[in-house]
Amino acid sequence: MRDSMFYLMHRDVVVGAFILDPSYSMRTLKIRDDAREHLPVSVKDEHALRTWLLDRGIPVTRKGFKKDFGDIDPFVLMVNDLGLSLTDHYWIRP
């Protein structure tokens, strides 16, 4: 696998883009200047958005997480599920 580009979407608006290397490490993250009003609440810059994205996965403390997913990193699960959530309008597009 090679580096992959993903786009953070708010509904159908591209908010930013990030690159993941084969180990799912986020190499680059850039917010689109013309989409800043679509950022999640309290996110103002790339550092805060990186933290928000990394915390978006299922918590490992959730009951049954280890049984259901083993040692898979929650961020990897989130990326593979395109960040879909029933509680907001953010998702990621490869």
Side-chain angles (χ1 to χ4, degrees):
M1 182 177 140
R2 61 179 202 252
D3 289 356
S4 301
M5 174 77 80
F6 291 88
Y7 300 94
L8 174 64
M9 306 294 294
H10 181 235
R11 296 186 179 121
D12 61 348
V13 175
V14 177
V15 177
F18 58 98
I19 296 173
L20 295 181
D21 69 16
S23 68
Y24 286 86
S25 288
M26 201 178 309
R27 289 190 331 123
T28 308
L29 173 66
K30 180 71 176 141
I31 297 171
R32 286 182 52 151
D33 287 332
D34 62 343
R36 288 191 174 272
E37 67 273 9
H38 292 277
L39 286 169
V41 174
S42 80
V43 171
K44 304 292 183 221
D45 59 21
E46 279 84 1
H47 176 75
L49 184 57
R50 178 184 300 270
T51 300
W52 182 85
L53 278 167
L54 292 173
D55 288 343
R56 192 163 169 80
I58 300 170
V60 294
T61 55
R62 186 179 198 167
K63 184 178 178 178
F65 182 91
K66 288 286 186 191
K67 183 179 122 229
D68 294 339
F69 303 110
D71 292 327
I72 296 175
D73 184 283
F75 181 71
V76 172
L77 285 173
M78 189 273 300
V79 169
N80 288 329
D81 291 338
L82 301 180
L84 298 173
S85 170
L86 297 175
T87 60
D88 64 30
H89 298 280
Y90 291 97
W91 60 286
I92 57 176
R93 186 183 79 198

